[in-house]
Amino acid sequence: MSTHHGWTGRPALRVAVQLPVAARAGVVICPPLGQEGVIAYRTLRLLADRLEARGVASVRYDPSGRGDSAPDGDPDAQVRSARRAAAVLRDAGVERIAYVGLASAAPIAAAAASDTDGLVLWDAPASGRAWLRKQRALATITIGADRVVDGVESLVGMDVDPTEAAALGALTYRARTGPTIALVRPGSSAPAALGDVSTTEVTGSAELLDGTSMVARIPGSAVDTVVAWTDAWAPTVALPVLPPTLDEVLDVDARTSERIVRMGPERLFAIETVTSGQHEDAPVVVLHNGAAEHHVGASDYQVALARTLARDGARVVRVDRSGTGESSAVHEDERSAMFAQEWIDDQQAVVDALAVDSRRLVLVGMCAGAWLAGRSADAAPRMVLEISPNDYRRQPAAVGAYADALRAIDEPSPLRLVLRRWWNAVVPEWVRDRVARRDRVGGVVGHVRPLVEHGTDVVLIASPVDVELFERLGGPRALRRWGTRGRTGRVELVRVPDGDHSLFSPVMRQAVLTEVRSRVAATFPVHA
């Protein structure tokens, strides 16, 4: 597949444009909001691949103000960004345009499309207001009352100020006269305001959107339904297209810039953030996402962190590991490499590609990324910062094994339900607890020992649920042994009393930004 990456427009969008040699039409793939966008990322990449195979161009993008795009405070940035993405296709020579909106992106796609454009609405909410109301309820349950800080409210994986919330809540549908299809869950219907539009039931939306990113399944049949409709809608004659004119560098501000880089033999997708006048001894900070996630949704914190650290004088790289975001080919049945050797190999490939003195290297990871950063003893980084650490296993898992185990818990067979009831009724709690964490053999001590013995300082930034696990798996012993500086590295625990594991809470995200920034500055005072 031929994908062109870069930035376009002012404020700039980061875009991924897929162009066949000649295109019959083009599709703007609008990204869902917040955590929905995190979960759906690889599915929308698969959609772009299958469209290209049918001679249809596409553009995926981060709206300005979100993800890897430029900062933007305009409350109407979502719809404006969708139209700007369409302009990229038109500038490349594509004449006919359709918009695809999945879940919360559906009202955005509908607002951006003209009556002559094609429109695909997949699992659309009844309106922007209905979606916002549901997200607020979910955020209140997930985050709590402190999700609103200085008027800015945190939804699940997305912060919005009052003006943007109002703009999103005002998104509605109108009766469509142009080519339109609504893909709905079995037994559901399309939003009534669309009028008499073609409706098709598809399966797989719940398996994609209703769980976590760790257990989400790519709904290949639903993707094929979108492709089949687009294939029938698009002209049969393909027209030559030109490579899109994209900026290779994003100027975040007067001193800070970003560029896309490919790293290691697998050509992992990464974004490097630097500042002008950077000191030759500046630290190099590698940022790892949580789970199998790209830097969208709650992982937006990575973008803010990278740009802040760069302004302080560091060189920062945020990378997509294999099977995440823009790295490696997408497959309908792909399996997550959570806690697998493949991700450890990816990390080593990134470190090798950076070719930096280990005493200037800092690895920062969240959740599964925290565990991965902790598997870097051979690289002997100067510092490892683990955000929301919740796994201390010493042996990597097989590819897909972690997700399979979670699905077995969430979707138990009838036999498993019977065995689970017997297990909980008969087996003592302390035995159940030990078995439940048998894959974390070695605990905290076994996890941090190789690091500190190589001279690495380890800082764990943890919410109450992660502190409880840290203490249960031998954390206090690690602190007693390596809590003060000696001839080796040291271990420190930073407790965030009001934080949460997933970084949905603004309190937790701010604590992470503050702690990581201060630790890097204290460890490398020369770089500023």
Side-chain angles (χ1 to χ4, degrees):
M1 297 298 173
S2 53
T3 306
H4 305 266
H5 293 281
W7 286 271
T8 182
R10 297 291 183 271
L13 318 181
R14 184 193 65 82
V15 297
V17 185
Q18 292 190 219
L19 294 176
V21 175
R24 299 161 55 205
V27 172
V28 178
I29 302 175
C30 301
L33 305 172
Q35 192 66 5
E36 290 177 347
V38 172
I39 293 171
Y41 201 93
R42 298 283 284 183
T43 294
L44 298 182
R45 269 197 64 194
L46 180 65
L47 172 60
D49 289 346
R50 292 186 176 177
L51 288 170
E52 184 181 354
R54 300 301 301 163
V56 176
S58 69
V59 57
R60 296 173 291 108
Y61 63 95
D62 291 344
S64 59
R66 303 287 175 189
D68 295 315
S69 292
D72 187 2
D74 185 350
D76 297 317
Q78 293 285 344
V79 175
R80 175 172 45 76
S81 295
R83 290 174 175 156
R84 175 59 202 154
V88 173
L89 292 177
R90 291 192 174 97
D91 291 344
V94 178
E95 294 184 354
R96 296 195 66 183
I97 299 293
Y99 290 80
V100 173
L102 168 63
S104 52
I108 296 167
S114 71
D115 286 335
T116 58
D117 295 326
L119 180 62
V120 180
L121 302 178
W122 175 4
D123 202 40
S127 65
R129 181 181 179 184
W131 177 83
L132 188 60
R133 183 170 58 246
K134 178 180 177 181
Q135 292 302 307
R136 281 171 167 161
L138 182 61
T140 299
I141 295 170
T142 304
I143 302 171
D146 61 352
R147 70 180 188 86
V148 180
V149 177
D150 296 331
V152 176
E153 60 176 315
S154 289
L155 306 178
V156 178
M158 180 180 183
D159 289 347
V160 292
D161 62 23
T163 56
E164 185 175 13
L168 294 174
L171 290 173
T172 58
Y173 306 101
R174 56 186 175 83
R176 285 282 299 177
T177 58
T180 306
I181 186 172
L183 278 57
V184 301
R185 299 187 187 196
S188 301
S189 57
L194 289 169
D196 186 18
V197 299
S198 176
T199 301
T200 299
E201 290 188 352
V202 295
T203 58
S205 299
E207 290 77 7
L208 171 65
L209 295 169
D210 292 355
T212 66
S213 62
M214 293 177 287
V215 298
R217 293 186 175 94
I218 295 176
S221 62
V223 170
D224 286 339
T225 301
V226 177
V227 174
W229 182 89
T230 307
D231 192 31
W233 160 81
T236 56
V237 177
L239 300 177
V241 291
L242 299 172
T245 303
L246 303 177
D247 296 329
E248 296 182 1
V249 175
L250 170 68
D251 291 323
V252 179
D253 54 37
R255 295 184 59 239
T256 310
S257 62
E258 296 187 329
R259 67 186 180 106
I260 293 167
V261 295
R262 294 285 186 171
M263 309 192 79
E266 301 300 323
R267 292 185 55 76
L268 301 174
F269 181 93
I271 293 182
E272 180 184 57
T273 312
V274 297
T275 189
S276 58
Q278 196 167 70
H279 196 282
E280 61 180 7
D281 291 328
V284 177
V285 183
V286 177
L287 302 181
H288 285 306
N289 292 339
E293 300 177 352
H294 186 63
H295 359 100
V296 294
S299 291
D300 267 359
Y301 88 91
Q302 273 203 347
V303 182
L305 177 58
R307 293 171 180 174
T308 298
L309 290 173
R311 292 185 189 105
D312 289 344
R315 174 188 174 197
V316 189
V317 174
R318 51 189 189 270
V319 61
D320 288 349
R321 301 180 292 273
S322 298
T324 71
E326 295 291 334
S327 289
S328 65
V330 182
H331 303 284
E332 180 179 338
D333 58 350
E334 65 184 17
R335 293 163 63 79
S336 169
M338 290 269 294
F339 304 110
Q341 182 65 42
E342 281 76 356
W343 281 0
I344 298 175
D345 295 341
D346 285 347
Q347 175 172 255
Q348 188 59 52
V350 170
V351 171
D352 291 343
L354 290 170
V356 62
D357 187 317
S358 63
R359 294 295 82 191
R360 291 166 46 214
L361 179 64
V362 180
L363 300 177
V364 182
M366 182 263 181
C367 189
W371 174 84
L372 179 58
R375 306 298 296 177
S376 61
D378 290 343
R382 177 67 183 82
M383 184 163 55
V384 165
L385 292 121
E386 301 191 16
I387 303 163
S388 299
N390 69 347
D391 201 295
Y392 301 96
R393 71 183 70 213
R394 297 173 66 181
Q395 296 299 319
V399 171
Y402 188 80
D404 289 346
L406 291 180
R407 290 187 184 120
I409 294 172
D410 294 340
E411 306 166 8
S413 65
L415 176 59
R416 188 180 181 91
L417 282 173
V418 172
L419 292 175
R420 182 186 294 175
R421 284 193 289 268
W422 172 84
W423 177 263
N424 291 339
V426 175
V427 178
E429 182 178 2
W430 69 270
V431 175
R432 284 185 275 130
D433 180 67
R434 173 167 292 185
V435 172
R437 55 188 172 94
R438 65 186 181 277
D439 59 347
R440 299 167 177 174
V441 171
V444 177
V445 171
H447 175 73
V448 302
R449 177 187 284 117
L451 291 166
V452 295
E453 289 181 349
H454 282 77
T456 299
D457 287 343
V458 182
V459 180
L460 303 97
I461 306 170
S463 66
V465 64
D466 298 315
V467 168
E468 189 276 333
L469 182 66
F470 173 86
E471 293 179 341
R472 183 154 50 90
L473 297 185
R477 181 183 167 202
L479 293 176
R480 288 193 299 270
R481 186 165 184 175
W482 298 295
T484 57
R485 181 166 301 284
R487 289 177 295 177
T488 63
R490 63 175 297 188
V491 177
E492 186 174 354
L493 175 67
V494 177
R495 303 168 187 260
V496 186
D498 298 321
D500 69 316
H501 171 79
S502 300
L503 271 64
F504 294 148
S505 161
V507 172
M508 187 67 180
R509 287 197 304 277
Q510 186 55 53
V512 166
L513 289 168
T514 300
E515 287 293 336
V516 174
R517 184 183 185 190
S518 64
R519 302 289 171 158
V520 173
T523 306
F524 304 92
V526 68
H527 79 283

